Amino acid sequence: MALSTTHVPAARPGRTLTIWTPEDKAFWEREGEAIAKINLWISVPALFLAFAVWQVWSVVAVGLPALGFKYSTNQLFWLAAAPALSGATLRIFYSFIVPLVGGRRWTAISTASLLLPAIGIGMAVQDNTTSYPTMLMLALLCGLGGGNFSSSMANISFFFPKERKGSALGVNAGLGNLGVSVVQFLSPLVITAGVFGVLGGDAQTIIKDGQAVKVWTQNAAFIWVPWIALASFAAWFGMNDIADAKASFATQATIFGRKHTWLMCLLYLGTFGSFIGYAAGFPLLIKSQFPNVNPLAYAWMGPLVGAVIRPFGGWLSDKLGGARVTFWNFVVMAGAVAGVLYFLPLHGQGGNFTGFFLMFLVLFLTTGIGNGSTFRMIPVIFLNQALQGVNKFDTDAMARATKEGNTEGAATLGFTAAFAAYGGFFIPKSYGTSITMTGGPEAALYIFISFYLLCIAVTWWFYARKNAEMPC
């Protein structure tokens, strides 16, 4: 519905926006774009920190044996996988909370909650007599960071018009996903010095290359504490709530009866579930298959590639169509897993780490592109579905349908993110189970290929082929 130039201006940042019509080009150019960008650029670092805390165990678990913690390989894989299990479950609730609480309020509160696992892990790793159940509970608390993704993406989707959603969501998620790579890159550096002085606790002694070396493992968690506090403050005072985005749970729950909700859950499990699962399990997989390679020297590069390329996936999908990009992306993913299988050691013998690593870089690249393309598909699908049969000359009907489509699209973004996050649990646990039962990870990788073939078929049939049910 068009607005006159004399309408009441939107509230200043940090307050509720009583008028928000980004599909109105005049409104968007006059004031909407500037406000949307402010919310996006505060959301990005908050989501970055959420991913860093969510994945800190993928690094910490690798170093626990050297600190004297007596945990089995399977227990270590459990610690790496547990944050994804709790994060995925929390995402189910976080998917629907923004229209209930408000994006500004919830971003600030959920970011502040990351202080619990960050401080708790920093304290626990200083004592190698800390019980395994305590460590497992702290790993589950890291799922608070995983939950934030659903609410963050749902919130940002309300701020941008349809033709900009793919790029905006790609930037939010892609730069947020960088937290996975940065935590794996930064942690080995910050643990080498007592950067927090007496406030950070005493050093631990480990044996490295036959030499006693002092480390401050707690810094891998403590380093995020001041930034979490700062991001929470910025979100509370700098972001906006959108009055028009308010909706009851019952209104949002209509997505559970939509076929495309479940189809997109499957596809996003194949993209984001793969990204977070490969990121969580990559260090331990390298350590188990190539014991002479330092996993922390390489593991961070994969998530970096996947995160950096995600905005490109959203942009490319805005240009070419999300379904087309998603289809070819899954084709490459299946081929890359076959490449990983080719370069793996056989019964502990042979193998080629360079080939193995390059194939994983291709995998991470495609997970990033697919993350962007699938998340571009979702809001377009639900907005188009809501507008079907609506008289485009009836401005009130169009406004109601647009609000309904955006609300359902935002809820579906969050819920599919919740569903997909279980990949972060399934993939590292599949490695651990496969290694325990068969002596290697090959069985898990064959299952992944089969799953990608299913995703190829679903994408082609429902979205990418000529005369598809819902082209997007």
Side-chain angles (χ1 to χ4, degrees):
M1 183 168 60
L3 297 175
S4 71
T5 57
T6 58
H7 77 276
V8 179
R12 61 183 171 85
R15 303 288 295 275
T16 299
L17 300 173
T18 55
I19 297 174
W20 190 252
T21 54
E23 302 295 342
D24 176 358
K25 294 187 182 301
F27 171 84
W28 178 253
E29 293 175 0
R30 184 171 57 249
E31 58 187 288
E33 184 175 15
I35 294 173
K37 285 183 176 179
I38 289 172
N39 282 270
L40 175 62
W41 292 116
I42 295 176
S43 175
V44 164
L47 188 56
F48 173 96
L49 292 165
F51 270 98
V53 171
W54 194 23
Q55 289 300 300
V56 71
W57 271 109
S58 68
V59 176
V60 172
V62 173
L64 291 181
L67 296 174
F69 289 88
K70 307 298 183 183
Y71 302 153
S72 70
T73 298
N74 202 36
Q75 284 179 314
L76 293 174
F77 270 110
W78 258 106
L79 290 176
L85 183 64
S86 58
T89 305
L90 285 171
R91 282 185 177 195
I92 297 174
F93 302 100
Y94 282 34
S95 300
F96 306 100
I97 205 162
V98 167
L100 297 174
V101 176
R104 173 185 68 90
R105 293 181 183 88
W106 186 249
T107 301
I109 293 168
S110 61
T111 301
S113 73
L114 304 176
L115 292 170
L116 293 173
I119 294 172
I121 292 169
M123 296 173 64
V125 296
Q126 296 180 62
D127 180 6
N128 61 16
T129 65
T130 301
S131 68
Y132 183 75
T134 300
M135 288 297 204
L136 189 59
M137 180 58 66
L138 287 169
L140 290 169
L141 276 175
C142 285
L144 290 167
N148 286 9
F149 182 79
S150 284
S151 54
S152 178
M153 295 296 277
N155 181 48
I156 291 302
S157 74
F158 283 111
F159 280 95
F160 289 84
K162 181 171 69 172
E163 69 270 13
R164 300 283 293 275
K165 287 183 187 292
S167 299
L169 292 171
V171 167
N172 190 51
L175 298 184
N177 288 171
L178 278 175
V180 178
S181 178
V182 171
V183 76
Q184 293 182 342
F185 173 77
L186 190 61
S187 295
L189 301 179
V190 298
I191 68 174
T192 61
V195 294
F196 294 104
V198 294
L199 296 176
D202 297 329
Q204 305 100 41
T205 300
I206 64 172
I207 303 301
K208 185 176 181 180
D209 299 327
Q211 301 291 322
V213 178
K214 289 189 178 297
V215 295
W216 288 260
T217 306
Q218 62 268 29
N219 289 354
F222 283 160
I223 194 67
W224 306 109
V225 170
W227 302 107
I228 291 169
L230 181 62
S232 302
F233 182 88
W236 185 264
F237 291 101
M239 294 184 74
N240 297 92
D241 296 313
I242 298 176
D244 217 30
K246 296 290 184 181
S248 67
F249 175 76
T251 299
Q252 299 178 77
T254 58
I255 68 168
F256 296 122
R258 307 291 194 202
K259 174 177 64 178
H260 294 290
T261 298
W262 302 103
L263 293 174
M264 292 310 301
C265 279
L266 179 77
L267 300 186
Y268 198 55
L269 176 63
T271 57
F272 179 79
S274 296
F275 171 81
I276 203 65
Y278 291 141
F282 199 30
L284 286 172
L285 182 65
I286 293 173
K287 189 176 182 66
S288 67
Q289 299 304 299
F290 299 93
N292 295 325
V293 174
N294 175 14
L296 299 185
Y298 297 94
W300 61 273
M301 297 182 196
L304 174 65
V305 168
V308 169
I309 202 67
R310 180 166 184 159
F312 174 75
W315 174 86
L316 187 65
S317 299
D318 282 339
K319 301 296 182 183
L320 302 179
R324 182 187 300 179
V325 175
T326 300
F327 174 82
W328 288 108
N329 197 71
F330 277 124
V331 171
V332 179
M333 289 181 76
V337 178
V340 170
L341 281 162
Y342 179 79
F343 290 111
L344 274 176
L346 184 62
H347 304 302
Q349 301 296 318
N352 184 304
F353 177 73
T354 300
F356 166 88
F357 180 67
L358 289 176
M359 286 297 102
F360 256 107
L361 286 186
V362 173
L363 264 179
F364 276 108
L365 182 80
T366 51
T367 62
I369 293 174
N371 285 341
S373 65
T374 48
F375 254 37
R376 193 269 183 182
M377 292 170 67
I378 292 169
V380 173
I381 288 170
F382 281 87
L383 185 56
N384 288 344
Q385 189 170 253
L387 292 173
Q388 283 180 345
V390 178
N391 183 355
K392 66 180 180 180
F393 298 108
D394 185 339
T395 55
D396 289 336
M398 286 290 290
R400 287 193 300 271
T402 298
K403 180 181 177 180
E404 176 188 325
N406 285 337
T407 299
E408 289 192 13
T412 305
L413 285 172
F415 182 70
T416 54
F419 189 89
Y422 284 108
F425 171 76
F426 177 76
I427 287 179
K429 270 305 296 163
S430 295
Y431 291 151
T433 302
S434 180
I435 291 170
T436 299
M437 296 180 65
T438 69
E442 290 85 356
L445 293 166
Y446 280 117
I447 291 174
F448 302 162
I449 290 177
S450 300
F451 180 75
Y452 295 147
L453 293 176
L454 174 63
C455 291
I456 290 168
V458 168
T459 305
W460 179 78
W461 181 258
F462 289 100
Y463 306 111
R465 67 185 174 92
K466 185 178 180 180
N467 300 320
E469 179 178 324
M470 187 62 69
C472 56

